[in-house]
Amino acid sequence: MSGRRIVVTSGKGGVGKTTTTANLGATLAKRGRRVVLIDADIGLRNLDLVLGLEKRIVFDLVEVAEGRCQLRQALIKDKRFESLAILPAAQTREKDAITPEQFAAIVEEASAHADYVLIDSPAGIEAGFRNAVAGAAEAIVVTTPEVSSIRDADRVVGKIAAGGKPIRLIVNRLRPEMVSSGEMLSVEDVCDVLAIELLGIVPEDEDVIDTTNRGEPIALREAGRLSAIYDKIARRLEGELVPFTTFDRQGLFNRLMGALKAG
Amino acid sequence: MIEFLRRIFGQRGSSATAKERLRLVLMTDHLELSPDMIETMKRDLVDVISRHVEVDRERIDVTFERQESTLAMLANIPILSVGRPSANGNGKHEGRAPSPDGSARTSKPKRVAAQTGPGAEGQAPPKRKRRRRKKSPPAPATAPAAG
Ligand SMILES: Nc1ncnc2c1ncn2[C@@H]1O[C@H](COP(=O)(O)OP(=O)(O)OP(=O)(O)O)[C@@H](O)[C@H]1O
Ligand SMILES: [Mg+2]
């Protein structure tokens, strides 16, 4: 039986697609799943760097598509996890160097020997995005709790939903203290506006930058709160019912204000 | 009391504003009206209204705005004069200089909500402003040269 094919996308750039793909992938692998991560961001390849595998690249996605090498030759196995591999994007090619059909065929082939194929989509809604979505049967949309990011997420949701693929949401870079003081949209607000199912909430955390600097997946950093957070997301993805952490607990001041208003 | 506290602790956050603005912009996005379609709607709307009042075609502004739980199309159509435009007219009035500041304040633009129900048709506009426009100041070319 072939594995699940899931695209991680966002519309807006820089909201955390690559971070999510890398860390969710590593977490699933840590849980014993066979995972292939595909970097679909041709020309702006980063997934290898975030995972610390940049030195081991031999072949890339476009070379596989052009038949210059076998898929298994291009896959880089992550030595820290038994069952994690990545297919890097080409760095010096254009987004249209590969067709949606070619991309879908590669994803299909990768899924034959994996439980999960996660596709790191480029930003935007053009050729690169269309490729990334073409190969997937499900989608994870990443957004930050900001108006422009949410609006772009909505565009992408519209495009994917038109193809009938199930979509779930990850809210990234949440700052609970700002939500409490009413300066940031809450997860509830975001879900309300986008009207799609919530898969996970990832707070703003310095560990993301630190682990990225080192090329270490968060799953390896057991001590931090983030590895537990990604573990919850992974379990939800696998169908487990995991309650959401309420980061946006009301502060004393807000409760006081609420009481005053009610009274 | 609450106002007092608010003033001390600063205004309420901006997240409520963000949510409202998002709702509206998404509704507009979902409309998927192309600029072309909006232009056509504008033209049709003005053609109908022009049968009754003379409007300033150049300065029509059509926007979409959320009202309660619906999306409203708001057309801001400056009215130049009430009553039918001249019989032979193509909507243009000759012999009228544009107001000096370029605004049509002499004939207050009226907001015509697109949801306006039937019945408004044929009725005279509620306000009858027939105030004369101020005369334009003399053109600089004809002004006496300053010493
Ligand atoms: N939860 C987080 N906390 C702190 N920093 C974060 C978090 N998530 C992502 N970042 C940072 O935000 C930046 C952008 O993240 P990332 O590269 O994953 O975004 P992207 O959506 O893949 O961008 P692009 O559209 O360019 O591909 C990175 O510097 C990353 O370290
Ligand atoms: Mg990226």
Side-chain angles (χ1 to χ4, degrees):
Chain A
M1 213 186 89
S2 67
R4 288 166 69 180
R5 296 163 286 134
I6 307 172
V7 63
V8 179
T9 189
S10 68
K12 189 171 163 64
V15 299
K17 296 176 291 295
T18 303
T19 305
T20 302
T21 308
N23 289 302
L24 189 55
T27 305
L28 285 164
K30 195 174 141 206
R31 293 174 57 81
R33 305 289 172 243
R34 297 167 303 161
V35 180
V36 174
L37 307 181
I38 300 182
D39 190 345
D41 203 346
I42 299 172
L44 294 168
R45 120 173 131 203
N46 270 327
L47 189 62
D48 54 321
L49 196 57
V50 169
L51 282 169
L53 300 171
E54 70 277 10
K55 290 186 191 149
R56 298 189 34 218
I57 294 178
V58 184
F59 297 111
D60 61 46
L61 173 69
V62 176
E63 288 167 313
V64 176
E66 289 172 345
R68 294 172 196 237
C69 66
Q70 298 290 311
L71 172 63
R72 59 183 162 73
Q73 293 176 293
L75 286 175
I76 307 167
K77 286 213 158 51
D78 190 324
K79 288 171 183 156
R80 297 160 295 188
F81 301 90
E82 270 175 32
S83 55
L84 181 65
I86 80 161
L87 176 59
Q91 180 69 333
T92 54
R93 301 291 295 268
E94 299 292 324
K95 300 262 185 236
D96 56 7
I98 171 171
T99 66
E101 293 73 29
Q102 285 174 320
F103 193 84
I106 291 171
V107 176
E108 183 82 48
E109 189 184 343
S111 72
H113 308 285
D115 299 310
Y116 289 91
V117 179
L118 302 187
I119 303 153
D120 182 14
S121 156
I125 49 175
E126 297 86 22
F129 161 78
R130 286 197 294 271
N131 276 343
V133 172
E138 309 167 50
I140 294 174
V141 168
V142 181
T143 187
T144 61
E146 292 163 277
V147 287
S148 52
S149 171
I150 297 168
R151 184 195 197 173
D152 293 359
D154 180 77
R155 282 282 281 161
V156 156
V157 166
K159 296 213 173 277
I160 301 169
K165 292 170 188 175
I167 308 165
R168 291 200 274 180
L169 180 72
I170 290 183
V171 178
N172 191 27
R173 309 194 76 157
L174 187 82
R175 295 175 59 177
E177 71 292 349
M178 285 188 75
V179 175
S180 293
S181 61
E183 291 165 305
M184 182 178 265
L185 289 164
S186 66
V187 172
E188 208 181 15
D189 288 335
V190 179
C191 291
D192 220 23
V193 169
L194 287 177
I196 54 173
E197 191 190 332
L198 183 65
L199 179 65
I201 308 162
V202 182
E204 172 86 21
D205 196 308
E206 290 171 8
D207 266 7
V208 173
I209 296 167
D210 190 53
T211 50
T212 309
N213 284 345
R214 297 168 198 276
E216 275 173 12
I218 286 161
L220 291 175
R221 195 171 279 201
E222 308 265 353
R225 61 172 177 167
L226 282 179
S227 75
I229 285 166
Y230 280 105
D231 194 62
K232 279 186 167 186
I233 297 177
R235 278 156 52 203
R236 283 190 203 108
L237 199 59
E238 302 217 67
E240 235 180 90
L241 266 174
V242 185
F244 288 96
T245 317
T246 46
F247 293 101
D248 36 275
R249 220 171 297 128
Q250 285 207 326
L252 177 67
F253 174 69
N254 279 292
R255 264 181 285 151
L256 187 73
M257 289 293 286
L260 278 173
K261 254 184 258 173
Chain B
M1 177 63 180
I2 291 167
E3 274 312 306
F4 172 69
L5 278 177
R6 274 210 188 136
R7 236 172 289 150
I8 288 185
F9 294 107
Q11 274 295 315
R12 203 175 65 116
S14 53
S15 70
T17 315
K19 193 173 180 187
E20 267 321 289
R21 292 179 57 224
L22 258 174
R23 272 191 192 286
L24 169 65
V25 82
L26 293 194
M27 254 194 254
T28 316
D29 285 356
H30 294 173
L31 258 182
E32 286 193 18
L33 282 179
S34 66
D36 265 6
M37 281 164 75
I38 293 179
E39 271 313 305
T40 310
M41 270 166 62
K42 228 156 113 176
R43 208 171 339 113
D44 292 352
L45 198 61
V46 169
D47 285 346
V48 171
I49 293 168
S50 297
R51 279 188 236 141
H52 309 282
V53 293
E54 190 201 0
V55 302
D56 186 348
R57 286 182 178 258
E58 301 302 307
R59 298 182 55 246
I60 288 161
D61 182 29
V62 172
T63 55
F64 294 87
E65 198 174 292
R66 203 172 98 96
Q67 296 188 334
E68 308 292 327
S69 57
T70 61
L71 184 70
M73 187 182 118
L74 296 175
N76 193 338
I77 305 175
I79 295 172
L80 291 177
S81 72
V82 294
R84 276 173 187 277
S86 50
N88 62 343
N90 38 15
K92 281 207 173 127
H93 264 233
E94 265 114 316
R96 273 205 180 186
S99 65
D101 59 352
S103 82
R105 223 169 286 136
T106 40
S107 55
K108 201 174 176 189
K110 293 186 180 62
R111 280 215 143 170
V112 182
Q115 320 132 301
T116 304
E121 179 99 354
Q123 277 174 4
K127 281 184 196 161
R128 290 183 168 267
K129 289 212 173 178
R130 281 197 190 265
R131 237 192 309 146
R132 282 221 164 262
R133 281 161 193 271
K134 278 184 208 147
K135 265 197 188 147
S136 298
T142 62

